[in-house]
């Protein structure tokens, strides 16, 4: 999927659309990618002279890539984060890096979906966590 296709699933737009490409590998796995340009709003103050992508933004990037797994479930609905568990930050992500995410659906209960997500730069694990979403009907 390119960004235009991703916009059909996610309500995010500039400056919060943080996945450039995504693909569904199989029924339970999706991959996403985003290259840090260095001009993103969140780098302005984090940290001057030593820009590092904030952890919460890394979680958002994984979450957005995860939603590709829910593409067929979000027609007239929006996926919302409900929980993040066991999030771990292993390595920094900086301008020029491409964060590649691997997201695996582990279970589903009604409108709730549980995903194990990992983010890598050049094959090196930078962030991981267990994410959950609720699919909420648009009104």
């Amino acid at each position: 999927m390119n960004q235009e296709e991703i916009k059909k699933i996610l309500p995010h737009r500039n400056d919060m659309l943080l996945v450039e490409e995504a693909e569904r590998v199989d029924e339970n796995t999706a991959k996403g990618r985003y290259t840090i340009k260095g001009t993103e709003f969140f780098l302005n103050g984090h940290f001057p002279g030593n820009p590092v992508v904030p952890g919460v933004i890394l979680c958002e990037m994984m979450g957005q890539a995860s939603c590709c797994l829910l593409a067929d479930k979000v027609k007239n609905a929006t996926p919302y984060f409900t929980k993040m568990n066991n999030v771990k930050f292993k390595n920094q992500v900086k301008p020029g890096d491409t964060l590649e995410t691997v997201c695996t659906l582990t279970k589903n209960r009604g409108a709730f979906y549980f995903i194990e997500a990992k983010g890598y730069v050049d094959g090196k694990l930078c962030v991981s966590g267990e994410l959950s979403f609720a699919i909420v009907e648009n009104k």
Side-chain angles (χ1 to χ4, degrees):
M1 296 179 156
N2 61 33
Q3 269 197 331
E4 290 309 309
E5 294 167 311
I6 293 165
K7 286 179 182 178
K8 293 176 184 173
I9 301 167
L10 297 174
H12 303 77
R13 297 297 180 265
N14 293 337
D15 294 318
M16 280 304 294
L17 184 57
L18 299 171
V19 60
E20 295 167 326
E21 298 174 6
E23 68 174 300
R24 193 169 181 163
V25 176
D26 59 38
E27 177 177 310
N28 295 318
T29 307
K31 291 185 177 183
R33 54 186 317 156
Y34 182 86
T35 299
I36 312 303
K37 290 138 196 81
T39 57
E40 290 86 357
F41 74 92
F42 49 80
L43 294 175
N44 290 336
H46 200 272
F47 303 102
N50 181 29
V52 176
V53 178
V56 68
I57 297 293
L58 295 174
C59 292
E60 181 67 25
M61 290 172 173
M62 292 189 305
Q64 289 183 21
S66 296
C67 288
C68 293
L69 289 169
L70 310 176
D72 58 334
K73 295 163 182 47
V74 295
K75 289 179 179 40
N76 297 315
T78 302
Y80 289 98
F81 262 128
T82 55
K83 195 180 205 181
M84 289 185 255
N85 281 339
N86 300 317
V87 176
K88 296 178 182 164
F89 305 101
K90 302 285 187 179
N91 291 289
Q92 296 177 350
V93 179
K94 297 178 151 273
D97 290 343
T98 297
L99 184 73
E100 297 183 349
T101 56
V102 178
C103 311
T104 305
L105 181 65
T106 57
K107 67 181 171 180
N108 151 246
R109 284 196 183 132
F112 294 92
Y113 293 83
F114 302 86
I115 294 172
E116 180 182 293
K118 294 181 180 179
Y120 301 88
V121 172
D122 294 328
K124 196 175 193 181
L125 182 65
C126 294
V127 58
S128 63
E130 301 162 5
L131 312 176
S132 63
F133 299 88
I135 306 297
V136 178
E137 187 176 327
N138 295 336
K139 297 184 183 199

